[in-house]
């Protein structure tokens, strides 16, 4: 017997003094309500209502039990409301890339508050975001996936020291910035929208100080040290004719930024990261080297079986994701697509 449903039928009939009105109030058929009352009377061993008159009257036995039935229903209602409040107030932890800016993380928390969900944010490297989803310590997270399979794509580019006359970081120091591409003699070959081709980083044949100058090391932040991404970048650099040891882990972010600002290295990063730290930045032409993210929910959190659309939107913005499909539309978007173009550009460099 569903005791709560039977008690609701009992209390509603007392309140309405009518079986039909009580059934309407509960949204059930009158015969079902009558059966519930009869079952309850059999359970308690006494009549709750006097049915001998045209109007339903509560018996003395029914009056005596009424306060207890009302108390059970009131406590049940408070319990339900407490459970709903607990579900809303439980903090759901979101795993975000380490290089997201504080303003982006704050927008995630604020969006949760606007939707009645308490969100906490943890900045974690890729492997810890995946393990957090697996063990349930994270409810939601951005997971690294190859960009061609990703619902969210974040353009990556090369950061370098800004030119002294470009306080906004849009310029590049001669010989160290992106404008000169590390001391190439003469203007670089034409490129789409200022995008950087890896083969442009090779020293060109020429005369003077620029001749034979070693290319600057390229530092990888922890976010881009996932095996599939680092391997892909290494292969692309080998095809571009760049030295094998040119690619290095960045180590502490502060140290990597100091070396970048001093013009001793280049740093692979996103545009929002470069803008936040005042370094010059230009996107990589090969979009297969960009970041790909998939927003995912933990299977250990039944209350959060999927990532809400509003949260996907704010996570995409926080990570600096481009509009879906935008990256794929750009030329040279894959490992194979840019090979022919790369060969031609390498020939131009000698």
């Amino acid at each position: 017997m569903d005791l709560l449903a039977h008690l609701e039928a009992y209390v509603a009939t007392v309140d309405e003094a009518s079986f039909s009105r009580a059934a309407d109030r509960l949204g059930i058929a009158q015969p079902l309500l009558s059966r519930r009352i009869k079952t309850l009377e059999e359970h308690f061993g006494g009549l709750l209502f006097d049915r001998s008159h045209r109007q339903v009257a509560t018996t003395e036995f029914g009056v005596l039990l009424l306060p207890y039935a009302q108390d059970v229903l009131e406590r049940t209602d408070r319990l339900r409301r407490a459970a709903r409040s607990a579900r809303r107030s439980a903090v759901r932890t979101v795993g975000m890339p380490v290089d997201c800016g504080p303003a982006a993380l704050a927008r995630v928390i604020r969006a949760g508050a606007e939707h009645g969900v308490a969100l906490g944010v943890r900045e974690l490297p890729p492997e810890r975001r995946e393990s957090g989803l697996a063990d349930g310590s994270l409810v939601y997270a951005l997971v690294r996936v190859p960009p061609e399979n990703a619902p969210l794509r974040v353009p990556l580019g090369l950061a370098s020291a800004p030119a002294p006359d470009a306080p906004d970081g849009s310029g590049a120091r001669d010989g160290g910035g992106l404008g000169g591409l590390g001391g190439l003699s003469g203007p670089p070959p034409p490129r789409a929208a200022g995008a950087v081709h890896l083969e442009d980083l090779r020293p060109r044949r020429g005369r003077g100080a620029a001749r034979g100058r070693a290319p600057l090391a390229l530092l990888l932040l922890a976010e881009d040290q996932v095996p599939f991404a680092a391997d892909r970048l290494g292969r692309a650099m080998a095809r571009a004719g760049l030295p094998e040891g040119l690619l290095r882990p960045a180590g502490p972010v502060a140290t990597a930024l100091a070396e970048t600002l001093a013009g001793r290295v280049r740093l692979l990063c996103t545009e929002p990261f470069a803008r936040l730290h005042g370094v010059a930045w230009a996107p990589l032409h090969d979009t297969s080297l960009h970041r790909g993210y998939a927003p995912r929910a933990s299977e250990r959190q039944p209350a959060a079986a999927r990532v809400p659309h509003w949260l996907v939107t704010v996570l995409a913005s926080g990570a600096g994701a481009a509009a879906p499909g935008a990256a794929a539309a750009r030329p040279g978007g894959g490992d194979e697509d840019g090979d022919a173009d790369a060969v031609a550009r390498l020939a131009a460099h000698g």
Side-chain angles (χ1 to χ4, degrees):
M1 179 180 67
D2 184 348
L3 182 59
L4 292 176
H6 286 66
L7 290 178
E8 286 176 345
Y10 164 37
V11 172
T13 304
V14 172
D15 291 344
E16 301 295 338
S18 165
F19 288 120
S20 60
R21 289 197 298 270
D24 289 341
R25 169 173 149 179
L26 297 177
I28 61 176
Q30 182 176 332
L32 175 58
L33 180 133
S34 298
R35 286 197 300 273
R36 287 180 178 176
I37 296 295
K38 185 174 179 59
T39 301
L40 201 59
E41 289 175 331
E42 293 172 353
H43 180 73
F44 289 135
L47 294 178
L48 298 172
F49 299 101
D50 182 358
R51 300 170 176 80
S52 62
H53 303 287
R54 292 178 60 87
Q55 188 173 7
V56 176
T58 308
T59 65
E60 184 177 352
F61 181 69
V63 171
L64 287 173
L65 295 187
L66 181 62
Y68 299 98
Q70 291 171 328
D71 183 60
V72 170
L73 294 177
E74 288 171 1
R75 287 174 181 270
T76 301
D77 183 59
R78 288 199 297 271
L79 179 61
R80 287 170 177 160
R81 283 188 276 114
R84 285 196 298 268
S85 177
R87 286 196 302 270
R88 286 195 297 267
S89 62
V91 175
R92 299 182 181 184
T93 307
V94 183
M96 293 287 287
V98 175
D99 56 0
C100 291
L105 303 180
R107 285 194 294 270
V108 174
I109 296 172
R110 185 180 65 187
E114 291 172 350
H115 288 82
V117 179
L119 294 179
V121 176
R122 291 184 65 190
E123 300 174 84
L124 298 168
E127 67 279 2
R128 290 189 59 191
R129 297 200 299 273
E130 291 202 51
S131 63
L133 288 177
D135 63 26
S137 60
L138 297 178
V139 180
Y140 307 114
L142 284 177
V143 175
R144 284 296 302 269
V145 295
E148 61 271 19
N149 302 326
L152 304 177
R153 303 182 186 184
V154 180
L156 278 179
L158 299 186
S160 64
D165 58 349
D168 62 350
S170 60
R173 186 172 292 156
D174 186 24
L178 295 173
L181 290 172
L184 301 183
S185 59
R191 60 176 59 92
V196 175
H197 296 253
L198 290 178
E199 58 268 24
D200 290 340
L201 305 182
R202 296 178 63 211
R204 296 180 65 190
R205 293 178 179 176
R207 298 180 179 178
R211 184 178 181 180
R213 180 181 298 173
L216 299 180
L218 178 57
L219 302 186
L220 282 185
L221 295 170
E223 186 64 23
D224 301 302
Q225 293 175 30
V226 290
F228 73 83
D231 291 348
R232 181 177 290 191
L233 179 58
R235 291 195 303 269
M237 293 179 67
R239 288 197 302 272
L242 293 169
E244 184 177 349
L246 202 64
L247 195 61
R248 303 200 319 247
V253 173
T255 303
L257 283 168
E259 289 188 283
T260 303
L261 288 167
R264 293 193 290 266
V265 298
R266 293 191 183 87
L267 180 65
L268 188 71
C269 64
T270 65
E271 185 177 13
F273 181 87
R275 189 167 58 245
L276 178 66
H277 297 288
V279 291
W281 185 87
L284 289 174
H285 177 268
D286 186 353
T287 58
S288 74
L289 303 178
H290 291 185
R291 289 181 187 173
Y293 288 108
R296 291 182 182 162
S298 173
E299 295 181 358
R300 289 180 172 265
Q301 301 283 347
R306 56 183 295 275
V307 185
H309 178 72
W310 59 264
L311 183 55
V312 172
T313 301
V314 73
L315 291 181
S317 173
R330 292 184 55 182
D335 258 89
E336 309 300 332
D337 294 343
D339 284 353
D341 182 50
V343 171
R345 296 174 66 80
L346 283 169
H349 282 286

